[in-house]
Amino acid sequence: MDEDTKQFFEAQFKNSANQQCVDCKSAKPQWASVPLGCYMCLECSGQHRSLGVHLSFVRSIDMDKWKETQLKKMQLGGNAPLLALFDKFDLGKLSIEERYNTQAAEYYRQHLRALAEGTPTPQEPSLEDGRKRYVPAPRSNTAAATEQSFGSSSGQVQSKQSG
């Protein structure tokens, strides 16, 4: 890890909320979710990995190389704002899978990305909607055409029915 990144994380861990896992509260988290800007322990990082990169992209604080845009999300995020969101939407007692698959968690991912990119932030969901399960938007025709061209041996695009 380069010296600037090391100093960045040292500064991040001066915040007491970042000194424990966002999910299980164990001390000295060594992993981070970039889209959520939060810190976690090794065990919880495994659960985040199983969610898929569209929900939580996990990096090692010490072992991975960090891009400037990723560090920006970590700087703008941190455990405290994410935990405040969980409290606001009463998500704290849900499992990791349930909590990060809510509309409130998706709002937070989009909000953090917009702040990092300097683009308009999304509208926060209502308390009722925030607790609802997040369902990703259907893939665009462009993505389906790319899959047809590159990923399908039969040349047919199979559609998935939502439910």
Side-chain angles (χ1 to χ4, degrees):
M1 169 186 324
D2 66 69
E3 191 59 34
D4 288 343
T5 304
K6 182 178 179 182
Q7 288 178 1
F8 172 84
F9 284 116
E10 285 174 2
Q12 287 286 291
F13 286 114
K14 288 180 181 175
N15 180 324
S16 61
N18 295 339
Q19 294 173 12
Q20 59 184 355
C21 175
V22 71
D23 293 314
C24 74
K25 310 299 181 234
S26 67
K28 298 183 180 179
Q30 293 298 307
W31 294 84
S33 171
V34 176
L36 294 160
C38 65
Y39 298 94
M40 66 198 67
C41 69
L42 175 63
E43 185 174 327
C44 291
S45 75
Q47 293 181 58
H48 276 256
R49 277 195 170 91
S50 71
L51 297 174
V53 296
H54 65 292
L55 299 179
S56 185
F57 175 64
V58 177
R59 312 232 358 122
S60 167
I61 292 167
D62 297 322
M63 296 182 286
D64 287 323
K65 185 168 175 66
W66 286 78
K67 296 177 182 177
E68 201 61 40
T69 56
Q70 295 170 332
L71 293 173
K72 184 75 171 172
K73 287 181 184 178
M74 300 309 297
Q75 178 186 19
L76 294 166
N79 288 1
L82 184 57
L83 291 170
L85 179 96
F86 292 160
D87 286 344
K88 180 176 184 173
F89 287 92
D90 195 25
L91 304 174
K93 293 192 170 142
L94 298 177
S95 71
I96 288 175
E97 181 181 1
E98 293 169 322
R99 185 179 317 137
Y100 294 105
N101 268 297
T102 60
Q103 289 185 26
E106 178 59 16
Y107 155 77
Y108 189 80
R109 286 186 288 270
Q110 290 179 11
H111 177 79
L112 196 56
R113 180 177 354 149
L115 290 175
E117 295 173 354
T119 59
T121 57
Q123 182 175 345
E124 185 173 296
S126 68
L127 293 178
E128 181 181 339
D129 286 345
R131 289 187 53 83
K132 291 179 181 175
R133 184 168 179 84
Y134 166 65
V135 178
R139 292 177 45 187
S140 69
N141 288 337
T142 304
T146 302
E147 181 179 303
Q148 182 177 0
S149 298
F150 297 106
S152 174
S153 60
S154 66
Q156 297 178 345
V157 177
Q158 296 180 0
S159 63
K160 294 180 182 175
Q161 293 191 1
S162 61

